[in-house]
DNA sequence: GTTAGGG
DNA sequence: CCCTAAC
């Protein structure tokens, strides 16, 4: 029998490809955003816009090749720039002449024909929306590990110019990526672009009939569907934003929307994907780091310029949130880092990596939404927003140790895709405060060009509407503000198959959504707000208001429900005992003694589903230990000395009792003093 | 299913 | 917190 082990990968987040990367120079007028601060654009729209960018970036084609002759490549999924600290990257594969990464393969496996997208590709005519994102992909030519970092620029469709920043002298591929159109990615010649451009640009307008249009379009969306299916459709809670169900009506404005329209297509793709993602035979790994580092040297250098690879490696390791002993199997080269502070190639990302300020610089571009880029000012005051990069909420992945590295990659990709695809949404922060009113205009909100938008930030947060279960902690900072604990996202591809309650999601910070607190046995995190009527505050029981647990914002994304159970259940998350819990435990033990953990559980933690009697026993064990060591050696949330004293006292008492019991059957009668002591407890 | 103890 | 032996 194969020993199944699990690996936990704690990602403190990726850096999702940077969104618009504003070009400072007005000339580049790259930041034409729809909407104006004057009231036409509401915060909601802004969010939607941002989300769109993200999604397109997520599902859009990625190109990882410079080989312009390979048509196929052009439709690869746009690579995301992962957190520099994450060792898992989206990268081009070394397969064949095309450097298509697995992502693209996964997503676009259906694009056998060159012009699948024919007739679907946007016509970058004068009427095209002013959103054009150019992706500058840099990657180390040193093949196989050709890591790459992408940058996404938003600009006008016609601004062909691209930043010529060259990183570390690596070869560079410049890709134009048109938003609100297809996920077309141009990697090379213009004629290719033209040859595949869509004929009916109208489709991309609000009310186009998706079905009525080219197959190319359909295929495209279909491919996206595959991604969804493979990554999160099964959990039926994540989808690409709010569009999936809107069907045709929403048209291609949001490419994803048409997905269902093409459901009928080749199931083989689905199957393939499933198969791929399901396979979890871990084979290799253990090899270090230096080797792989050297391969990715270019990247590492650019990402960790100030560190030696060793250092980074070490740091990675030390920060990896891998609660397993399996840790030893972990490998830096394939690992992920929890380190904070995304360090993108530009070294500009926020140190927290959570919220990135946007940068609004001056004037806008044409107000006419028609994409006419009269390079300059218009009557409307437009707001330019620049987002260096986003960071995906922390992601947790568990995968069988027997899984292959390849499947790990895919799993991670799926997780990311799932998250980006709808598990998250964009939040707007203004001066550290979350802007909740989606209906306010930017101007009303204070997001105006003449306002220093340094204070404007965007954050990725769980998308409540897409998540079935939500452990909602009122006002808990899911929003990833600087320094706030990042929400934890747990992605378990296979485990927890049959646990309905196992898919809980990040709390929805807003009161606006289904703030239903679900106390699934899975893990009902003690209510932080001490709602006196909360279950976990066992009224008559010993356990009183359990203070907020530190962590507990987690997302569990059950996947592959069909997978074998052999994959083993995932390790429970660590839930440090709060002082209140300790108090309750001590009290119960004083009364019941050690050795009756089940009773202790029933008495004091009956409502704390996540505390088993074994947990209580273990906690007691550690408490005793803690009480015996010097305060300096203690870690974690300090337990009041008073409690520790009681622990020792009770422990001593019950130990004595036990000893006596064993010696003879002479109950407590022989020790009046102890008895007295106990009375004082009771 | 519980307990106890090592990991 | 996990795993197991032992009951």
């Amino acid at each position: 029998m194969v020993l199944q082990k699990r690996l936990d990968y704690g990602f403190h987040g990726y850096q999702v490809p940077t969104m618009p990367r504003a070009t400072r120079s007005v000339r580049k007028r790259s930041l034409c955003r729809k909407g104006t601060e004057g009231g036409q654009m509401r915060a909601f729209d802004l969010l939607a816009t941002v989300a769109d960018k993200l999604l397109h970036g997520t599902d859009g084609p990625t190109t990882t090749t410079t080989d312009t002759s390979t048509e196929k490549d052009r439709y690869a999924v746009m690579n995301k720039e992962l957190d520099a600290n994450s060792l898992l990257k989206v990268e081009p594969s070394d397969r064949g002449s095309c450097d298509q990464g697995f992502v693209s393969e996964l997503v676009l496996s259906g694009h056998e024909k060159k012009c699948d997208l024919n007739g679907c590709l946007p016509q970058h005519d004068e009427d095209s929306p002013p959103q054009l994102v150019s992706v500058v992909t840099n990657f180390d030519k040193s093949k196989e590990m050709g890591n790459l970092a992408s940058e996404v620029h938003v600009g006008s469709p016609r601004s062909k110019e691209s930043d010529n920043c060259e990183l570390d002298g690596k070869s560079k591929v410049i890709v134009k990526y048109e938003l609100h159109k297809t996920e077309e990615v141009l990697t090379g010649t213009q004629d290719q672009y033209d040859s595949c451009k869509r004929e009916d640009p109208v489709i991309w307008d609000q009310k186009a009939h998706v079905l009525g249009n080219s197959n190319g379009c359909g295929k495209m969306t279909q491919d996206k569907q595959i991604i969804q299916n493979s990554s999160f459709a099964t959990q039926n809670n994540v989808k690409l934003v709010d569009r999936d169900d809107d069907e045709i009506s929403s048209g291609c404005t949001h490419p994803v929307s048409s997905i269902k329209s093409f459901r009928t297509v080749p199931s083989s793709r689905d199957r393939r994907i499933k198969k791929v993602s399901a396979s979890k035979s871990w084979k290799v790994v253990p090899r270090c780091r230096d080797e792989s580092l050297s391969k990715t040297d270019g990247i590492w250098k650019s990402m960790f310029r100030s560190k030696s690879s060793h250092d980074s490696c070490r740091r990675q390791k030390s920060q990896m949130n891998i609660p397993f002993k399996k840790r030893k199997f972990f490998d830096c080269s394939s690992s992920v880092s929890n380190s904070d502070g995304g360090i993108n190639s530009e070294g500009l990302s926020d140190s927290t990596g959570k919220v990135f300020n946007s940068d609004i610089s001056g004037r806008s571009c044409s107000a006419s939404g028609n994409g006419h880029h009269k390079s300059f000012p218009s009557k409307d005051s437009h707001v330019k927003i620049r987002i260096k990069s986003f960071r995906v909420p922390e992601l947790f992945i568990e995968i069988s140790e027997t899984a292959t590295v390849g499947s790990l990659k895919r799993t991670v990709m799926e997780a990311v895709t799932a998250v980006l695809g709808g598990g998250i949404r964009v939040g707007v922060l203004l001066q550290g405060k979350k802007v909740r009113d989606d209906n306010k205009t930017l101007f009303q909100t204070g997001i105006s060009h003449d306002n220093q938008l340094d204070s404007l930030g965007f954050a990725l947060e769980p998308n409540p509407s897409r998540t079935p279960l939500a452990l909602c902690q009122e006002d808990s900072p899911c929003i990833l503000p600087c320094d706030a604990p990042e929400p934890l996202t747990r992605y378990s591809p296979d485990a927890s198959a049959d646990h309905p309650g196992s898919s809980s999601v990040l709390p929805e910070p807003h009161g606006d959504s289904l703030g239903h607190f679900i106390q699934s046995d899975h893990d009902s995190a003690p209510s932080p707000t001490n709602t006196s009527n909360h279950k976990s505050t066992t009224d008559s029981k010993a356990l009183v208001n359990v203070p907020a647990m530190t962590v507990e914002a987690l997302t569990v994304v059950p996947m592959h429900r069909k997978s074998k159970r052999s994959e083993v259940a995932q390790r429970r998350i660590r839930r440090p005992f709060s002082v209140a819990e300790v108090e309750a435990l001590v009290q119960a033990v004083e009364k019941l003694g050690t050795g009756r953990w089940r009773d202790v559980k029933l008495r004091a933690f009956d409502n704390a589903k996540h505390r088993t009697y074994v947990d209580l026993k273990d906690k007691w064990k550690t408490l005793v230990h803690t009480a015996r060591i010097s305060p300096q050696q203690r870690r974690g949330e300090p337990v009041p000395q008073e409690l520790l004293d009681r622990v020792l006292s009770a422990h001593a008492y019950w130990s004595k009792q036990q000893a006596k019991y064993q010696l003879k059957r002479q109950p407590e009668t022989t020790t009046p003093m102890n008895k007295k002591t106990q009375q004082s407890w009771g």
Side-chain angles (χ1 to χ4, degrees), chain A residues 609-634:
Chain A
K609 309 289 187 188
H610 57 292
R611 301 294 189 201
T612 68
Y613 46 73
V614 174
D615 292 331
L616 301 181
K617 180 220 48 174
D618 287 342
K619 179 56 183 175
W620 183 261
K621 181 173 63 178
T622 61
L623 274 176
V624 171
H625 177 259
T626 300
R628 288 171 173 166
I629 62 178
S630 68
Q632 292 73 37
Q633 301 177 64
R634 297 170 190 165

Side-chain angles (χ1 to χ4, degrees), chain A residues 621-674:
Chain A
K621 181 173 63 178
T622 61
L623 274 176
V624 171
H625 177 259
T626 300
R628 288 171 173 166
I629 62 178
S630 68
Q632 292 73 37
Q633 301 177 64
R634 297 170 190 165
R635 296 183 300 177
E637 186 181 13
V639 177
Q641 188 57 45
E642 176 261 336
L643 276 178
L644 293 177
D645 291 340
R646 289 170 63 188
V647 168
L648 286 182
S649 180
H651 186 262
Y653 173 79
W654 288 107
S655 293
K656 191 176 295 182
Q657 292 303 309
Q658 190 172 35
K660 287 179 179 174
Y661 180 82
Q662 289 178 339
L663 286 179
K664 269 302 180 183
R665 206 187 180 82
Q666 303 174 358
E668 59 274 291
T669 53
T670 50
T671 54
M673 201 179 99
N674 283 334

Side-chain angles (χ1 to χ4, degrees), chain A residues 574-588:
Chain A
R574 185 169 176 276
R575 289 165 170 268
F577 276 71
S578 65
V579 173
E581 286 179 298
V582 171
E583 161 88 50
L585 176 60
V586 171
Q587 192 172 318

Side-chain angles (χ1 to χ4, degrees), chain A residues 344-358:
Chain A
N344 61 26
S345 54
E346 294 173 304
L348 291 178
S349 59
D350 183 317
S351 63
T352 67
K354 290 158 189 163
V355 177
F356 295 84
N357 291 333
S358 55

